[in-house]
Amino acid sequence: MPGGVESARAAAGAAAAGAHLVILSSSHYFHNYRHSSNALAVYHAAREAGVSDERIVLMLAGDHACDPRNAVSGGMRHTSGGRLELYPCDARVDYRGDEVNVAAFLRVLTDRLPPGAPASRRLLSDWQSDVVVYMTGHGGDGFFKFRDLEELGAAELAAALAQMQAQRRAARLLVLLDTCQAETMVQLFSAAGLSGAISVAASRRGESSLSRQVDPGLGVAVADRFTFQLHAFLTTGRAAPPLPAGYAAPPPTSAPRPPGSRTLGRLVDALSHARILSTVVVSQHGWGHRPGSAIPASGAGPSILGEWA
């Protein structure tokens, strides 16, 4: 591996026990604005948690911020008329447009990029790292679509993550999927031999993952319900208030909870069916614990979740 990549990996791994992320939005076309907004909301939450760009690979198939139909030119938001800017001038998009495809995504996960690929386009995790993979887009029973041109199968995703672990590039995995029938994309994780992995899927087989709110100025939905609640929880430790109040910042009477209180168990509580109108499916793969038992706390360093419990 080139020396420059090794140096970047060492720098990114200075707090290796913290989270490394791959954040993927696989949709283009302006009516899929919410998928870019979803991905950027997770990116925003990670940056707010102290995760540096060196430990994030951001993949956006759509350039919705610069689409001429975007009434907020160059900006992205996830509430109607919201004040929170999800696309700041220092946001670093590592893959965009037609660079976002099945082959590129799998190469990022397995670190099988072409020689000379810059460190910024690599997942610089190692054997101590907690790796978070977030995916948003259109999907179905056992497949996840890329730009309406190709599909990633459940077996391909499971094999790539298993290969990542075999390469000693992840201590633990947290896979978050916001797509229709998301449960079916994780159904082969255990069979592939994943260990120390947790998946949180936004919907069961046969269920849709639903959008939350249409912005009348944009004419499109600006967020999906699952990711909207995920972002609210990661940034405040609380679920977002219900519509029509919307969510742009914590209410004055609801101070953010300390990071240590943002556990996976409390996240699942925030993702209730009443809030997202689909059934979240949480699965443990190779933990060696009884289903529903406590999961070990994460290591030191910036992490999206204070504890995986």
Side-chain angles (χ1 to χ4, degrees):
M1 184 176 291
V5 173
E6 288 284 16
S7 299
R9 190 182 299 277
H20 291 248
L21 291 90
V22 178
I23 301 173
L24 166 69
S25 166
S26 65
S27 301
H28 59 170
Y29 300 130
F30 192 66
H31 64 266
N32 292 319
Y33 177 104
R34 68 191 185 280
H35 294 154
S36 286
S37 173
N38 289 343
L40 288 166
V42 175
Y43 175 76
H44 171 266
R47 292 283 301 271
E48 286 289 299
V51 182
S52 68
D53 269 322
E54 287 72 28
R55 293 194 283 137
I56 302 172
V57 177
L58 178 59
M59 309 179 77
L60 299 180
D63 190 8
H64 296 104
C66 297
D67 191 291
R69 289 163 290 190
N70 186 356
V72 187
S73 181
M76 295 288 294
R77 58 197 185 196
H78 72 160
T79 58
S80 178
R83 300 183 301 275
L84 178 62
E85 176 53 64
L86 296 177
Y87 198 58
C89 60
D90 64 342
R92 191 177 80 185
V93 182
D94 303 296
Y95 294 79
R96 64 176 72 240
D98 59 9
E99 296 177 332
V100 180
N101 52 59
V102 171
F105 179 62
L106 294 177
R107 284 197 295 265
V108 168
L109 295 182
T110 60
D111 201 32
R112 297 186 181 277
L113 285 91
S120 62
R121 291 163 72 94
R122 294 180 180 270
L123 179 64
L124 300 172
S125 57
D126 63 20
W127 64 276
Q128 301 178 83
S129 304
D130 289 342
V131 175
V132 179
V133 178
Y134 170 85
M135 302 166 63
T136 182
H138 292 293
D141 193 342
F143 67 88
F144 182 82
K145 297 174 71 174
F146 278 72
R147 301 171 53 247
D148 285 336
L149 295 174
E150 55 181 345
E151 297 171 354
L152 172 72
E156 293 174 287
L157 177 61
L161 295 174
Q163 188 174 145
M164 176 196 294
Q165 289 196 324
Q167 295 167 327
R168 291 172 57 81
R169 297 181 54 244
R172 300 182 302 178
L173 284 167
L174 174 60
V175 181
L176 304 163
L177 295 108
D178 193 350
T179 186
C180 297
Q181 305 194 68
E183 176 190 23
T184 66
M185 284 301 295
V186 307
Q187 60 191 342
L188 300 177
F189 280 12
S190 295
L194 290 187
S195 61
I198 299 174
S199 59
V200 183
S203 53
R204 288 191 181 279
R205 176 179 271 113
E207 280 188 341
S208 296
S209 180
L210 300 175
S211 61
R212 179 180 182 271
Q213 185 182 35
V214 172
D215 186 304
L218 296 173
V220 294
V222 291
D224 282 315
R225 289 174 177 267
F226 173 90
T227 299
F228 189 84
Q229 291 292 343
L230 173 66
H231 175 265
F233 181 84
L234 294 179
T235 53
T236 72
R238 302 176 185 274
L243 287 171
Y247 178 89
T253 56
S254 300
R257 288 176 173 155
S261 69
R262 297 170 200 178
T263 65
L264 185 61
R266 287 180 175 151
L267 169 62
V268 173
D269 290 341
L271 296 171
S272 67
H273 192 284
R275 293 189 178 100
I276 71 171
L277 305 184
S278 60
T279 307
V280 168
V281 180
V282 181
S283 304
Q284 302 176 24
H285 313 275
W287 276 100
H289 294 266
R290 300 185 310 278
S293 63
I295 297 167
S298 66
S303 182
I304 279 199
L305 295 172
E307 297 178 6
W308 296 20

